[in-house]
Amino acid sequence: MKRKTATWLIHRRAGGRIHPTVNPPIERGSTLLLSDAADLYGPGRTYGRHGLSVQAELCDALCELEAAEAVHLAPSGVAACALAIGALVRSGDHVIAQDSLYGPTRRFCERRLSAMGVDTTFVDPRAADGFAASYRDNTKVVVLEAPGSLTFELPDLRGAIDVAQQRGARVVVDNTWSAGVYLKPLKLGASVSVQALTKYAGGHSDAFGGAVLSGDRATAGLVERTSQDWGLTLGPDDAYALLKGLRTLPLRLERHSASAQKIADWLALRSEVDAVLHLSRDDHPDHALWARDFRGASGLFSVILKPVPDAAVIRFCNALNLFGLGFSWGGYESLLIPCDPQLRRRRGDWTNTKTGPLIRFQIGLEDPDDLIADLEKALGRLSD
Ligand SMILES: *Cc1c(COP(=O)(O)O)cnc(C)c1O
């Protein structure tokens, strides 16, 4: 009997593919069709939430990039940070976190962890004792960011990891700034490296995603179960955009890095600038730690201007043509933001006498000479 329209519209679906393409197919699928009923409850992949071809290829690539045991994807960088930390604690545990942590991650610790019965102690990222003084008997996780993405303070990663290993705690490192290219936290002994793929991995400001990279099987198992329980998944279109970005990551990062270095060095000579917070400059307080553990510096840094009224900062920002005013970073376009409204750490703790406005620069892939010309013109507006 000929099938009716409503039936054949649903069942006429192309089967195989013509030829393999360079890139994995974007499969938009919640449902996987199994050819044998015996496999429905088998160990293989049976449901789209656990990822399809694109997500699997993205995980494989990230695994290799940071020498991870396993990678779990999340719908955003914040979700990946929450997954990494949330997987490793239970009610009654204690967490130590670097004071300069990315704001939303810090908020996760303050609000969500405390609602789960987990206490967080925030510590100065430059504490010389590897945070030993902040440990309690129930400390299970130490959360670091390398470096903090506003103030560019870098904790002593090896020192903190050593103490954590002695105390039986796991270390989670937010590795977004190095994009997993310039720093390999798992090789240093961290249990988890987290990346907001939204930033450098994606590289085009057009997709959200995060990755939790586990260094050992036990940690990966905890992350796996928590990811399942929280129902975290990353859609195929975003995963595809992130995978596409990842292909050119080393090349882009080289250019971000070289241009940022050039612009940071230019800014350091300007009379309007009090301090440049760029880790590859030897006037950065954490330069030696950076040189020991990193293979490069990416394109994000900050500058403290000499004190000027708020209105002058607004004039400066609004006079820029090539720098966009926008949060986030890691894309091909240059961006800049004044940071003071979102600084949680008291200035006196880390900048000593420097009290002027803090501006963060994301250096994109434009020609650096054009960016410098744009900055030169806008800096002139500070003293109008
Ligand atoms: C942006 C960012 C995140 C969060 O990433 P989203 O994808 O925006 O949620 C986490 N950590 C750092 C250091 C970031 O810069």
Side-chain angles (χ1 to χ4, degrees):
M1 190 180 84
K2 186 164 178 349
R3 288 171 173 172
K4 306 263 175 27
T5 303
T7 305
W8 71 251
L9 276 176
I10 288 172
H11 284 272
R12 256 191 85 86
R13 290 193 299 264
R17 319 214 165 269
I18 297 171
H19 280 298
T21 46
V22 171
N23 296 295
I26 300 179
E27 295 147 320
R28 294 196 181 84
S30 55
T31 304
L32 302 190
L33 296 174
L34 283 85
S35 51
D36 185 346
D39 294 334
L40 281 168
Y41 295 95
R45 215 167 279 214
T46 55
Y47 193 44
R49 195 170 59 228
H50 308 124
L52 299 165
S53 303
V54 176
Q55 292 95 329
E57 198 156 324
L58 180 58
C59 284
D60 280 356
L62 290 167
C63 238
E64 182 147 354
L65 180 68
E66 295 207 35
E69 171 74 28
V71 172
H72 292 86
L73 299 174
S76 69
V78 174
C81 292
L83 170 59
I85 302 167
L88 306 180
V89 292
R90 60 203 302 172
S91 176
D93 286 348
H94 173 243
V95 169
I96 294 173
Q98 160 182 339
D99 203 13
S100 54
L101 212 55
Y102 179 66
T105 308
R106 186 185 166 119
R107 202 164 56 212
F108 171 80
C109 296
E110 288 169 339
R111 288 206 302 230
R112 211 46 40 206
L113 285 187
S114 62
M116 290 163 62
V118 175
D119 262 359
T120 306
T121 302
F122 292 97
V123 296
D124 182 340
R126 289 187 176 137
D129 64 348
F131 311 132
S134 302
Y135 274 78
R136 301 181 190 164
D137 291 341
N138 56 345
T139 302
K140 292 290 162 50
V141 176
V142 177
V143 187
L144 307 176
E145 197 172 304
S149 63
L150 297 176
T151 57
F152 294 90
E153 294 156 285
L154 182 65
D156 174 356
L157 296 171
R158 286 175 198 263
I161 289 167
D162 274 357
V163 174
Q165 285 175 342
Q166 287 158 26
R167 304 292 300 249
R170 286 184 165 94
V171 174
V172 173
V173 178
D174 186 327
N175 195 22
T176 304
W177 183 80
S178 98
V181 173
Y182 292 145
L183 177 73
K184 313 282 181 186
L186 302 178
K187 289 191 179 167
L188 295 180
S191 295
V192 177
S193 171
V194 181
Q195 279 198 51
L197 303 174
T198 312
K199 309 290 169 59
Y200 282 122
H204 294 74
S205 309
D206 60 353
F208 273 104
V212 178
L213 302 96
S214 301
D216 60 86
R217 289 178 82 85
T219 303
L222 292 169
V223 174
E224 165 80 25
R225 287 192 285 284
T226 307
S227 170
Q228 286 170 2
D229 294 345
W230 284 352
L232 298 181
T233 189
L234 177 66
D237 293 280
D238 276 350
Y240 188 91
L242 299 169
L243 179 61
K244 189 168 174 176
L246 200 62
R247 308 284 185 198
T248 56
L249 176 64
L251 192 65
R252 286 184 289 108
L253 217 47
E254 257 176 49
R255 176 65 177 253
H256 285 296
S257 174
S259 295
Q261 182 76 58
K262 181 170 186 175
I263 292 167
D265 291 342
W266 179 83
L267 283 164
L269 299 174
R270 294 288 307 194
S271 61
E272 299 91 343
V273 170
D274 204 356
V276 172
L277 309 177
H278 189 298
L279 281 161
S280 78
R281 288 177 52 84
D282 59 14
D283 57 4
H284 190 288
D286 306 320
H287 173 75
L289 289 175
W290 170 81
R292 185 189 68 187
D293 294 336
F294 288 69
R295 292 183 204 159
S298 61
L300 191 79
F301 65 94
S302 288
V303 155
I304 300 176
L305 297 176
K306 301 234 175 92
V308 283
D310 290 349
V313 176
I314 304 276
R315 273 201 310 275
F316 161 71
C317 292
N318 289 345
L320 292 158
N321 289 319
L322 296 181
F323 283 85
L325 303 176
F327 295 98
S328 198
W329 42 279
Y332 56 82
E333 76 293 359
S334 289
L335 299 168
L336 166 160
I337 45 166
C339 297
D340 289 270
Q342 55 167 323
L343 287 178
R344 309 269 186 127
R345 270 163 69 58
R346 287 186 301 114
R347 294 293 292 262
D349 295 344
W350 51 279
T351 57
N352 301 322
T353 57
K354 298 182 186 0
T355 56
L358 188 137
I359 312 280
R360 187 184 72 185
F361 292 77
Q362 126 82 9
I363 304 302
L365 302 178
E366 303 91 338
D367 191 292
D369 293 336
D370 287 331
L371 295 174
I372 286 174
D374 198 35
L375 288 171
E376 182 157 34
K377 184 195 61 185
L379 283 171
R381 299 295 312 274
L382 278 174
S383 53
D384 275 3

